[in-house]
Amino acid sequence: MTDSTEHNLADQLHRFLFDADNVRGELVQLGPSFSAMIANHDYPPAVAELLGELLAATSLFTALLKFEGEVTVQLQGDGPVRLMVVNGDHRQQFRGVARISNPPGELTGLRALLGTGYLVITVSPTDGERYQGVVALDEESIAACLERYFSQSEQLPTSIWLFARASAPARAAGLLLQRMPVSASEQDDRGLEHLVLLTTTLKAEELLDLPAITVLHRLYHQEQINLFSPQPLTFVCGCSRKKSANALISLGRDDCEALLAERGEICIHCEYCNSNYRFTDADIEPLFGSGTRHGPH
Ligand SMILES: [Zn+2]
């Protein structure tokens, strides 16, 4: 069940079809969810913007799944940013984080920030085997890396546009066009090529700031487009005090007591949302039930 109490027009994913051309499309726009993801992290703007592009990309990728499950899209490299990861699921609930090893200064863009490395997509169906796809980070953008992933791994011609702006109001957005899987005899990419040509006129500020319907009308008003109801998208970290307590229980009583003796308290930090869960002696004791090891109590 999707909790859509925080209904916001900006945090939505739109799916559409060009039936005549065997092409599917997706358009995602992120406002508050992207702001929440970068809040309290002090990312340099270029890093936040790359994370916004990765968030939009993960949303587009997740929306293509035909089953329930989770997707993790990870960039790993030897540059100032050594890891950037966004994790999401079929309910369009996302979290993401960037790990910076050196201040990137004025550097911007995928190649400069990540250096040499890989984009790794991990798909974990709720029922079924997890699988992974890897492409080298030797394109200029996340969009270009993903396009290559689709042409290599799925043999589906795909075009992707990603934009993000870190300054307030922070926004990220993405658009995807992909030929539907069809039999070899039906393969004809002229429809897709025409739609891609129309879409390359799209400007960052249009996709970031205009209502999705306006963007689609501007681009495709001469095409026959079949638009489905939008799906809300949310930033959900998923961490909690209870989950942290469960992690401590699996760590075991001895290790917890050793940590407490060393530091006076155990602090579990969530990288994704910067929450801290603090546990003192009085919190730890009840986790392990009444069977104390230090004699009667
Ligand atoms: Zn968290």
Side-chain angles (χ1 to χ4, degrees), residues 95 235 237-240 269-275 277:
R95 61 181 189 164
F235 168 76
C237 182
C239 70
S240 66
H269 174 72
C270 173
E271 266 199 297
Y272 286 97
C273 68
N274 264 331
S275 296
Y277 300 98

Coordinates of all heavy atoms in Angstrom, one line a residue, residues 95 235 237-240 269-275 277, ligand 1:
R95 N 15.7 6.3 -1.3 CA 16.7 7.0 -0.5 C 18.0 7.0 -1.2 O 18.2 6.1 -2.1 CB 16.8 6.3 0.9 CG 17.3 4.9 0.8 CD 17.3 4.3 2.2 NE 17.9 3.0 2.2 CZ 18.4 2.4 3.4 NH1 18.3 3.0 4.5 NH2 18.9 1.2 3.3
F235 N 10.5 10.2 -0.6 CA 11.8 9.9 0.1 C 11.4 9.2 1.4 O 10.8 9.7 2.2 CB 12.5 11.2 0.4 CG 13.7 11.0 1.3 CD1 14.9 10.4 0.8 CD2 13.6 11.4 2.6 CE1 16.0 10.3 1.7 CE2 14.7 11.2 3.5 CZ 15.9 10.6 3.0
C237 N 13.5 6.9 4.2 CA 14.7 6.3 4.6 C 14.5 4.9 5.0 O 15.3 4.0 4.6 CB 15.4 7.1 5.6 SG 17.0 6.3 6.0
G238 N 13.6 4.7 5.9 CA 13.3 3.3 6.3 C 14.1 2.9 7.6 O 13.9 1.9 8.1
C239 N 15.0 3.8 8.0 CA 15.7 3.5 9.3 C 14.8 3.8 10.5 O 13.8 4.6 10.3 CB 17.0 4.3 9.4 SG 16.8 6.0 9.7
S240 N 15.0 3.2 11.6 CA 14.3 3.5 12.8 C 15.0 3.0 14.0 O 16.0 2.3 13.9 CB 12.9 2.7 12.8 OG 13.2 1.3 12.9
H269 N 24.5 5.5 13.4 CA 24.3 6.7 12.5 C 23.7 6.2 11.2 O 24.2 5.2 10.6 CB 25.6 7.4 12.2 CG 25.5 8.5 11.2 ND1 24.9 9.7 11.5 CD2 26.0 8.5 9.9 CE1 24.9 10.4 10.4 NE2 25.6 9.8 9.4
C270 N 22.7 6.8 10.7 CA 22.1 6.4 9.3 C 22.7 7.4 8.3 O 22.5 8.6 8.4 CB 20.6 6.5 9.3 SG 20.0 6.3 7.7
E271 N 23.5 6.8 7.4 CA 24.1 7.6 6.3 C 23.1 8.3 5.4 O 23.4 9.3 4.8 CB 24.8 6.7 5.4 CG 26.3 6.4 5.7 CD 26.9 5.9 4.4 OE1 26.5 4.8 4.0 OE2 27.8 6.6 3.9
Y272 N 22.0 7.7 5.2 CA 21.0 8.2 4.3 C 20.3 9.4 4.7 O 20.1 10.4 4.0 CB 20.0 7.1 3.9 CG 20.5 6.0 3.1 CD1 21.0 4.8 3.6 CD2 20.6 6.1 1.7 CE1 21.5 3.8 2.9 CE2 21.0 5.1 0.9 CZ 21.5 4.0 1.5 OH 22.0 3.0 0.7
C273 N 19.9 9.5 6.0 CA 19.1 10.6 6.5 C 19.8 11.3 7.6 O 19.2 12.3 8.1 CB 17.7 10.2 6.9 SG 17.7 9.2 8.4
N274 N 21.0 10.9 8.0 CA 21.7 11.5 9.1 C 21.1 11.4 10.4 O 21.4 12.3 11.3 CB 22.0 13.0 8.7 CG 23.4 13.2 8.1 OD1 24.3 12.4 8.4 ND2 23.5 14.1 7.2
S275 N 20.2 10.5 10.6 CA 19.7 10.3 12.0 C 20.7 9.6 12.8 O 21.5 8.8 12.3 CB 18.4 9.4 11.9 OG 17.4 10.0 11.2
Y277 N 20.9 7.2 16.3 CA 20.1 6.5 17.4 C 21.1 6.1 18.5 O 22.1 5.4 18.2 CB 19.5 5.2 16.7 CG 18.6 5.5 15.6 CD1 19.0 5.5 14.3 CD2 17.3 6.0 15.9 CE1 18.1 5.8 13.3 CE2 16.4 6.3 14.9 CZ 16.8 6.2 13.5 OH 15.9 6.5 12.5
Ligands
ZN1 ZN 17.8 7.0 7.9

